[in-house]
Amino acid sequence: INDSEGHPSSSHQTLKGTSKWATSLENLLEDPEGVKRFREFLKKEFSEENVLFWLACEEFKKTQGKKQMQEKAKEIYMTFLSSKASSQVNVEGQSRLSETILETPHPLMFQKLQDQIFNLMKYDSYSRFLKSDIFLNHKKCEEQEENSPEAQTAAKRASRIYNT
């Protein structure tokens, strides 16, 4: 049995969507739709670069091969950390990396900076996001979909199938 979007549904539904996003920033960042909505919110606050940097660091950790790591490390540096960066993130000055470290990249080279940005988002913008129109409207739409006659009919059909 699939839900309206074609994903397998379960009679033991775990938290999803806005309910899951509201439990932690980690859960929000694990959901592509959550990231999309959070980015939309941060864009309005002129701080979208924070989540973009965080996502770039997550991708960087999965990068294989020295050459690819060097290229990706340089891209992250030039985009988010350099004094001339187009989307500079606000990290503590002394923790800025120098370009020389880009020659010998390793998967966790941005970890300290990524943690700073994560904490900035967690203790600052995330709580405002949960009170924002973007979040509240999305939550309202979800609740309306769950309470729609089609959703209830599907749930009844599913319960008849599983409770025979």
Side-chain angles (χ1 to χ4, degrees):
I1 296 177
N2 292 327
D3 65 15
S4 61
E5 294 172 24
H7 303 293
S9 61
S10 153
S11 56
H12 306 292
Q13 283 286 313
T14 54
L15 288 178
K16 63 180 185 182
T18 54
S19 301
K20 192 171 183 182
W21 305 348
T23 59
S24 73
L25 179 57
E26 290 88 339
N27 285 340
L28 171 72
L29 294 171
E30 287 173 3
D31 182 345
E33 183 66 22
V35 170
K36 180 181 168 187
R37 300 297 174 175
F38 192 47
R39 279 185 64 184
E40 195 179 316
F41 170 75
L42 291 175
K43 201 177 281 185
K44 289 182 175 186
E45 290 210 331
F46 304 100
S47 59
E48 183 187 21
E49 67 278 357
N50 291 336
V51 74
L52 294 176
F53 173 72
W54 189 88
L55 292 166
C57 291
E58 285 298 292
E59 274 303 303
F60 178 76
K61 290 176 195 175
K62 300 173 195 166
T63 305
Q64 300 291 314
K66 187 179 178 187
K67 185 102 177 103
Q68 286 90 336
M69 284 186 94
Q70 282 176 325
E71 288 169 10
K72 209 161 224 168
K74 185 172 180 154
E75 184 182 321
I76 289 171
Y77 179 82
M78 298 310 284
T79 306
F80 301 106
L81 301 170
S82 151
S83 58
K84 301 175 196 117
S86 55
S87 299
Q88 193 175 29
V89 289
N90 186 13
V91 287
E92 292 176 25
Q94 74 269 18
S95 59
R96 286 206 181 280
L97 302 172
S98 68
E99 284 190 60
T100 54
I101 196 170
L102 301 176
E103 298 305 313
T104 55
H106 58 88
L108 300 177
M109 67 188 283
F110 297 116
Q111 190 63 53
K112 196 179 270 186
L113 302 176
Q114 185 185 16
D115 290 345
Q116 275 186 44
I117 292 299
F118 180 84
N119 286 327
L120 178 69
M121 291 189 300
K122 183 175 183 172
Y123 297 111
D124 186 35
S125 37
Y126 174 64
S127 56
R128 284 195 309 280
F129 170 71
L130 295 178
K131 297 173 194 152
S132 73
D133 287 345
I134 291 171
F135 176 80
L136 296 173
N137 290 339
H138 193 73
K139 184 177 179 180
K140 196 164 139 186
C141 288
E142 269 184 2
E143 288 165 355
Q144 287 171 346
E145 284 175 19
E146 286 172 15
N147 295 328
S148 72
E150 299 86 40
Q152 290 176 355
T153 307
K156 285 178 187 171
R157 280 196 309 267
S159 70
R160 279 198 304 268
I161 293 167
Y162 290 111
N163 298 325
T164 54

